[in-house]
Amino acid sequence: MSNADNWQGDVLRDLRSASARPGQQQPQERTSTPAQAPHQAPSPAPAPGVPVSPPPAAAHAVPSAPSPSPAGRPGRTRRPVHSPDSRPVVDGALAGTARRPVRGEPSALRVSRAMRRLVSSSAAREVAELTHVAEFIQQPVTTGRQIAVTSIRGGAGKTTVAALLGTAYAHYRQDPVLLVEADPALGSLPLRLGADALRWTTADLADIVEPQMSLLDVTGYLVQLPDNAWLLPGSQGRIGAMLDISAYERVMVALRRYFGVTVVDCETLPAEVARVALSAAQARVLAAPATMDGVTSTYAVLQWMQGLPRHMISGTVVALTGTAARPGIDVAAAAEKLRSTGAAVHVLPHDRHLAAGGALRTDLLARPTRLAAARLAAEVFQLSQKRR
């Protein structure tokens, strides 16, 4: 790259020039050129606030992929690249079983909360806090920040946390944001992000991506999401999909220069890819349910991390997710105990919309959930800036 401090402007120019040429053919008809280094930091968001995504019915196009470069990498045998068929995220036989999405909190609670905000100064404090959050998230980066999200067990809210983080970064930042699914065992990140169909996967791209590719070449293999965000799925919903460490490392090293922030939805610990992702990322998020067994196992992992290099636990944030409207533990006391290990802790309150599963719509989240997600995104990004 021509200038490591200004790598985002040309990335945006690539995307804007593509959208300005509606008659242009598929990416494979363009000549690959080296990605240029952008020229300026991202501009501020239009107004501080909470990210709002379009309804899940909105179509997310899966662009046709460019032809891979014939040049191979020295020292690695490239297997023949085939073009996989596009597959729907939700099988047609199951699509009709979904109910209408619900709001994160009941109507009566929303009305009472709005009345309290009218008669107090909480609305002004909220705006000031969101402005502060936006300033943190919009800070420029010299190299792409990679944030790994994992958990101790399934059902801890790991994928939901990854989707919330990616949505927040895509809303506030001007440079492209990437969400990578490094959990190929029937991961649910595409469903959470409202993708319609999948084609290329993380393992596929490991055998295709080349250093001379431009951003437009790379995005031909990705699923486009709202707000200049992109998704790289881990599988096509098939059982038995595999992702080895070398493939993961090749993809992450190659894609880092194209995206300001990359959020990785990892396998649960102690899977090998998850451990590699955690050690290579600039910041880590450990999703844990706000239950006695969830807090106990998370505390044990944090104690183990205390024996690792200091940056591992100091760059880790625990996302303590509410699993019920009335949790069975004292959440504040549990969070304080987890903080005693040196990790940061953020509480994501129980939210009916998140608990229902399906596509994430931030406009349906409860206000406390949206504020908590924004605070979490800001702190994680701040921690990622401290680690080069």
Side-chain angles (χ1 to χ4, degrees), residues 63 65 81-84 198-202 204 208 220-221 232-233 236:
V81 178
H82 68 283
S83 180
L198 307 177
R199 189 176 181 187
W200 301 91
T201 67
T202 307
D204 293 329
I208 295 171
Y221 295 98
L232 179 56
Q236 287 190 324

Side-chain angles (χ1 to χ4, degrees), residues 143-209:
T143 55
R145 304 287 88 189
Q146 294 181 357
I147 297 166
V149 183
T150 189
S151 62
I152 309 303
R153 63 189 68 180
K158 168 181 65 70
T159 298
T160 298
V161 171
L164 286 171
L165 288 175
T167 301
Y169 295 136
H171 173 76
Y172 285 110
R173 296 188 64 82
Q174 295 294 311
D175 48 8
V177 172
L178 177 65
L179 291 101
V180 175
E181 186 178 45
D183 184 1
L186 297 179
S188 58
L189 185 61
L191 177 62
R192 267 309 205 191
L193 294 172
D196 292 328
L198 307 177
R199 189 176 181 187
W200 301 91
T201 67
T202 307
D204 293 329
L205 198 56
D207 292 309
I208 295 171
V209 66

Side-chain angles (χ1 to χ4, degrees), residues 178 205 209 218 232 250-259:
L178 177 65
L205 198 56
V209 66
V218 170
L232 179 56
R250 291 198 302 272
V251 167
M252 298 306 292
V253 170
L255 296 185
R256 181 174 176 180
R257 66 192 182 109
Y258 299 105
F259 300 93

Side-chain angles (χ1 to χ4, degrees), residues 274-300:
R275 285 184 287 167
V276 170
L278 290 175
S279 62
Q282 283 77 43
R284 290 151 292 279
V285 179
L286 190 60
T291 60
M292 181 56 70
D293 57 337
V295 171
T296 301
S297 58
T298 301
Y299 184 66

